[in-house]
Amino acid sequence: MIHRFGRTERALHWVHASGFLAMLATGLILYLPALSEAVARRNLVKNVHLVSAVAWAIAIALVLVLGDRRRLAADWREVETIDADDRRWLRGRPRA
């Protein structure tokens, strides 16, 4: 088995995923009247939504401070770099 991502990348991924899903669910309940009526506790859902947003931001900061910053910086450089394979894909030519 080849490990492409370390613990820090996985933690950052799951922090983003769980925060996004929590805010998506609560945001939909707040936005859609039918869901809001079904839940019938709008104030509680609003508070969960806001706490989720704050917890998400704090969790990202903790991963950045406590995690492997060198690995995150290397990942950032890789994402920001467009190499020959990326240019070939953008031009629409399949890999030979």
Side-chain angles (χ1 to χ4, degrees):
M1 179 189 265
I2 298 172
H3 290 285
R4 175 155 182 201
F5 300 108
R7 288 183 180 163
T8 301
E9 290 100 342
R10 290 172 199 252
L12 190 60
H13 169 81
W14 285 110
V15 163
H16 273 298
S18 60
F20 175 82
L21 291 175
M23 288 186 287
L24 176 67
T26 55
L28 283 173
I29 291 170
L30 293 170
Y31 183 72
L32 299 173
L35 288 176
S36 187
E37 290 173 10
V39 172
R41 298 195 62 181
R42 184 176 172 79
N43 196 34
L44 174 67
V45 174
K46 184 181 91 171
N47 290 335
V48 169
H49 187 76
L50 295 175
V51 168
S52 296
V54 172
W56 180 58
I58 291 170
I60 289 173
L62 285 173
V63 169
L64 293 175
V65 169
L66 301 175
D68 185 358
R69 285 179 284 211
R70 287 183 183 168
R71 188 85 183 246
L72 289 174
D75 289 339
W76 182 259
R77 283 190 299 275
E78 182 183 350
V79 168
E80 290 294 316
T81 302
I82 297 177
D83 60 6
D85 287 335
D86 296 327
R87 286 188 291 276
R88 192 176 312 118
W89 182 84
L90 288 169
R91 286 192 301 261
R93 296 182 185 151
R95 190 174 191 177

